[in-house]
Amino acid sequence: MIALKLAFRGMRANRRIYVPNLIATALLVAINYIILAVTANQSIHHLLFGKQLVTLLHLTFELTIIITVAFLVYVSSTTARSEAHEFQVYTLLGLAPLNKRLIIIIRQTCVTVGALGLGLLLGLNFERFVFMALARILGIPHFHAPFLGGPLVKCGVIFIIISGGLILFRLFYHPAAKSKGQPTNRLPWLGGIAGILATATGYYLSMTSKPGMDTIPTFMLINVLVIAGMYGCFIAGSILVLNLLQHNRRLYYHRRRFIIISGLRQRMRQNGASLAGICVMVTSVLLSMIAVVSLMAGEHSLIRLWNPEDVITATAKPFSPAQRQIIRQTAHRHHLAVTDYQQSVMTAPIMGNLTKNGQFTPTKLRYQVAFVPVDEYNRVTHTHYQLRDNQTLIYCPDNQLHLTALTVNQHHFTVTHRLKRYPLFYDYQHAIYQPVFVILSSRKQCAQTSRTPWLYTTFFNTDGKKRDKVRFADDLQARLHLTNEEYTAKYQQGPLLATLFGGALFIGIIVSIVFIIVTVMLIYYKQLAEGLQDRARFQTLFQLGLSARETQRIVRTQVLTVFLLPLAGALLNTCFAFPAMRSMLKLFSIYNGKMILLVSLITAGLIGIGYALVYLLTARNYYAIIHDHRTNGTSDW
């Protein structure tokens, strides 16, 4: 059958496209299968907040499918452009349209079958490893991972449907054999300025963002502005800059610079959008990994913030002798001993914002401010502070409040000390607002300033086995008839945070792997396409007397410039996103800025190293095509 022979012959000739496509598609199949297998596992459903995690996994699967479809459509269109000359030759030779359609169907079917077989094989082999890693991340001692055929069948059906859509796309998509060149952007200054303004606005919002209820909508707006700005800067802004360089006669009319600048202008017209897409994806990988790794690294500090002791209660009345007896009896029943038992008193926190000059306002909720009498603070900390009615001490966990004065409800105070520790602080009701403790001279002063009722807090630890502490925590809350607002236990919060943050880490890793695969393949196909476009031009320059050494320098400069632009843009985006990212993490009570910065630097370094490796691997193809003298400029892939 002639269609079958031509299909396989063309795939061998275009193996530079088909082999990477097969490998990348197989990896995406494996990732999507693993997500489906994890989602279907019943051990996930039985976790605390397991349903929420399953919902996030469903959303992740939908996201990866969207990215997969977009990537496969891009590869299919690239393949169609590369094979356009081949199909024109078939038309000139009189090959029937039915045979040409059969060639397309056979090639796409071969890629789909190969990718499904290899991808599902990889997924099944790595499934056990993924489940073991997930069990460790989520802190699950007994994680059952039986084989389920449902995810396997579902994954196969989805990719067969996608393959059918790609076949229809190829049958109706008929690109020209040779590109006529992209239309020149007649108003590069308009798009360039718009891109710069959008990016600058996003950067400004990020630099001025503060933790609060409006942080998440602001962060989403920043994302939209920066993404739109990146596309404007790469598509039009780069042309604007290169046009300005071209108008500089002394700079432009130089043997090597002339070729470099003209080559870059052509590349940015044709590939500005793909470079912007690479920049956005690298930025997404950086920010998602910084966020989830910071959450995991800050998990223990968050537990200490929410639960400085094993058990904390906050009630409207102090515990009665009968309630204290219930605590001792319940502990004894679970083979535990109660230690470090302490009681304290404070006002119920008021929510609001503290300005730089110390003015408390009930708008833009960012802080929860509680008031503690100085004699109570001295009793707990074994100190001897003395305060006047207009004086105060302040404690804040992240030590970012550098106030010298404080005004609350028309009461004015001078801050005499910013305290570095308060052993009985905690985050009331686990709110997203940062806790602040204000120490005043007396109970009367606290009541007049706060205008909220008193809260009686009880703190204590327990000695014994961890599993007994978990049972004790649940049993004690039921016996004391306390609500979740009144009661918090460290060994209840641990599994909760492990599920939330561990699930976020797992999802972040999955999404990052998908982005990395797509980014690497975009870079690979871009390098391949540009090498084939530039080959005829450089062969002409060889004939005009350009030396091999000069060619090597020009090629290296062009490739490095275009290749490093997305990475430079991603790193710049990450630097300006750091304040907004820190504000987002403060909503989860992650206040350690040095830890977030360290995580950011390590993540950026690893991404930079990986990006450099991708450059070394893909640039080799470009150089090989440029210096391939065995073929002429009319050759196809």
Side-chain angles (χ1 to χ4, degrees):
M1 185 178 182
I2 188 170
L4 189 63
K5 292 181 179 179
L6 292 175
F8 285 116
R9 181 179 179 182
M11 290 180 71
R12 284 195 302 270
N14 293 326
R15 57 185 175 274
R16 284 176 175 169
I17 291 180
Y18 282 100
V19 172
N21 180 19
L22 176 66
I23 295 172
T25 307
L27 291 174
L28 293 173
V29 169
I31 290 171
N32 283 283
Y33 166 72
I34 287 173
I35 296 174
L36 289 172
V38 171
T39 306
N41 191 281
Q42 291 301 312
S43 297
I44 299 290
H45 293 260
H46 295 155
L47 289 174
L48 184 65
F49 287 90
K51 292 183 179 179
Q52 289 80 354
L53 178 56
V54 169
T55 301
L56 290 176
L57 287 170
H58 281 300
L59 294 175
T60 304
F61 176 73
E62 292 172 4
L63 175 63
T64 58
I65 286 295
I66 291 172
I67 296 172
T68 299
V69 170
F71 166 71
L72 293 178
V73 169
Y74 169 79
V75 173
S76 185
S77 63
T78 303
T79 306
R81 288 194 299 271
S82 71
E83 295 176 342
H85 181 72
E86 176 188 350
F87 280 95
Q88 279 193 354
V89 172
Y90 292 156
T91 301
L92 293 174
L93 295 175
L95 191 68
L98 177 61
N99 285 323
K100 290 190 287 186
R101 296 190 186 99
L102 285 174
I103 291 172
I104 293 173
I105 294 172
I106 291 169
R107 290 177 180 176
Q108 183 59 50
T109 302
C110 288
V111 172
T112 301
V113 172
L116 269 177
L118 180 59
L120 293 176
L121 184 63
L122 288 172
L124 289 170
N125 282 306
F126 281 95
E127 180 184 8
R128 179 69 58 178
F129 170 77
V130 171
F131 278 126
M132 290 173 59
L134 187 58
R136 187 173 182 83
I137 291 173
L138 299 180
I140 305 173
H142 303 291
F143 198 97
H144 300 287
F147 171 76
L148 300 173
L152 196 71
V153 173
K154 185 176 181 180
C155 185
V157 170
I158 289 173
F159 274 87
I160 289 173
I161 294 172
I162 293 173
S163 178
L166 293 175
I167 290 173
L168 292 176
F169 173 78
R170 282 296 309 275
L171 291 176
F172 291 98
Y173 180 64
H174 304 291
K178 285 293 174 185
S179 176
K180 301 291 185 181
Q182 298 294 329
T184 303
N185 190 344
R186 298 184 182 277
L187 295 174
W189 57 270
L190 184 62
I193 292 174
I196 293 171
L197 288 177
T199 305
T201 304
Y203 287 169
Y204 173 78
L205 291 175
S206 176
M207 296 295 290
T208 57
S209 66
K210 301 294 181 183
M213 290 300 292
D214 57 346
T215 299
I216 296 178
T218 301
F219 192 73
M220 298 301 295
L221 176 61
I222 291 170
N223 287 334
V224 172
L225 288 171
V226 172
I227 290 173
M230 284 294 104
Y231 276 94
C233 289
F234 275 89
I235 295 172
S238 59
I239 303 298
L240 176 63
V241 172
L242 292 169
N243 284 345
L244 293 175
L245 293 177
Q246 189 178 27
H247 292 152
N248 188 329
R249 293 178 176 271
R250 182 174 298 179
L251 176 69
Y252 183 66
Y253 290 105
H254 181 275
R255 184 173 183 176
R256 194 163 65 244
R257 295 172 192 158
F258 171 83
I259 300 172
I260 292 172
I261 294 175
S262 61
L264 287 175
R265 287 179 74 247
Q266 180 185 4
R267 286 189 175 203
M268 296 311 296
R269 286 199 195 101
Q270 296 175 346
N271 299 299
S274 63
L275 290 174
I278 293 170
C279 177
V280 169
M281 282 190 283
V282 174
T283 304
S284 302
V285 172
L286 277 168
L287 294 181
S288 61
M289 290 309 299
I290 289 170
V292 296
V293 174
S294 296
L295 286 174
M296 289 297 295
E299 180 181 345
H300 294 295
S301 63
L302 178 55
I303 291 176
R304 286 196 302 270
L305 176 65
W306 285 1
N307 301 89
E309 310 293 342
D310 286 356
V311 177
I312 302 173
T313 65
T315 56
K317 296 180 180 179
F319 276 172
S320 64
Q323 288 174 310
R324 291 196 292 271
Q325 181 64 22
I326 290 174
I327 294 174
R328 289 191 293 268
Q329 290 175 349
T330 307
H332 180 72
R333 179 182 178 183
H334 292 279
H335 313 290
L336 301 175
V338 176
T339 62
D340 306 320
Y341 186 93
Q342 295 191 70
Q343 285 188 314
S344 184
V345 64
M346 67 178 189
T347 63
I350 54 177
M351 311 297 178
N353 185 33
L354 288 170
T355 61
K356 292 182 179 179
N357 60 5
Q359 179 70 42
F360 178 84
T361 59
T363 58
K364 294 184 178 180
L365 307 181
R366 289 171 183 163
Y367 295 95
Q368 49 169 316
V369 182
F371 296 87
V372 179
V374 68
D375 58 346
E376 186 70 15
Y377 179 82
N378 287 333
R379 182 185 66 82
V380 170
T381 60
H382 307 290
T383 54
H384 305 283
Y385 285 104
Q386 298 293 326
L387 296 176
R388 298 177 182 176
D389 288 346
N390 64 340
Q391 293 180 327
T392 183
L393 311 173
I394 287 183
Y395 173 75
C396 185
D398 71 344
N399 297 316
Q400 294 298 313
L401 279 178
H402 303 294
L403 302 179
T404 58
L406 180 67
T407 301
V408 181
N409 293 332
Q410 299 180 349
H411 292 267
H412 306 282
F413 304 97
T414 300
V415 179
T416 60
H417 290 88
R418 293 195 299 272
L419 302 170
K420 294 184 178 180
R421 60 182 294 271
Y422 180 40
L424 299 188
F425 87 94
Y426 79 110
D427 189 345
Y428 179 63
Q429 295 182 357
H430 304 157
I432 64 173
Y433 312 115
Q434 190 172 168
V436 177
F437 290 84
V438 177
I439 316 301
L440 297 182
S441 59
S442 64
R443 283 198 173 207
K444 180 180 178 181
Q445 191 72 35
C446 292
Q448 290 176 348
T449 306
S450 177
R451 301 175 186 174
T452 57
W454 290 99
L455 280 179
Y456 294 88
T457 55
T458 302
F459 300 76
F460 61 87
N461 289 318
T462 52
D463 283 341
K465 296 180 180 179
K466 182 178 179 180
R467 62 182 181 182
D468 294 330
K469 292 181 179 182
V470 174
R471 296 168 183 168
F472 165 76
D474 296 333
D475 192 14
L476 181 63
Q477 183 177 8
R479 287 174 175 269
L480 292 176
H481 306 290
L482 298 177
T483 65
N484 290 332
E485 295 180 352
E486 298 174 318
Y487 180 87
T488 178
K490 181 182 295 185
Y491 293 98
Q492 286 180 329
Q493 301 301 327
L496 182 150
L497 294 180
T499 301
L500 293 180
F501 294 171
L505 178 62
F506 177 75
I507 291 171
I509 292 173
I510 290 291
V511 173
S512 297
I513 291 174
V514 172
F515 276 137
I516 289 170
I517 292 172
V518 174
T519 302
V520 170
M521 296 311 299
L522 283 177
I523 293 171
Y524 173 81
Y525 284 118
K526 186 180 70 65
Q527 293 281 58
L528 205 58
E530 289 176 353
L532 290 165
Q533 291 171 0
D534 293 344
R535 179 170 55 192
R537 185 163 61 93
F538 276 103
Q539 288 179 353
T540 302
L541 293 173
F542 279 137
Q543 296 171 359
L544 294 176
L546 192 69
S547 68
R549 185 176 181 182
E550 287 177 319
T551 304
Q552 190 74 10
R553 289 181 180 178
I554 292 170
V555 169
R556 185 182 295 112
T557 302
Q558 285 190 174
V559 172
L560 274 175
T561 301
V562 175
F563 200 85
L564 291 178
L565 275 175
L567 179 62
L571 293 176
L572 186 65
N573 291 340
T574 304
C575 290
F576 279 99
F578 185 81
M581 179 66 67
R582 189 176 177 189
S583 296
M584 284 284 293
L585 291 171
K586 282 186 176 182
L587 296 182
F588 296 92
S589 302
I590 306 296
Y591 304 122
N592 192 337
K594 293 182 179 178
M595 180 270 294
I596 300 172
L597 179 60
L598 180 62
V599 169
S600 302
L601 293 175
I602 294 174
T603 304
L606 293 175
I607 293 294
I609 293 172
Y611 199 85
L613 292 176
V614 173
Y615 164 75
L616 294 175
L617 292 173
T618 58
R620 186 179 296 178
N621 278 322
Y622 180 87
Y623 293 135
I625 294 171
I626 289 296
H627 295 287
D628 187 1
H629 299 289
R630 294 171 298 174
T631 55
N632 56 41
T634 61
S635 297
D636 285 83
W637 297 9

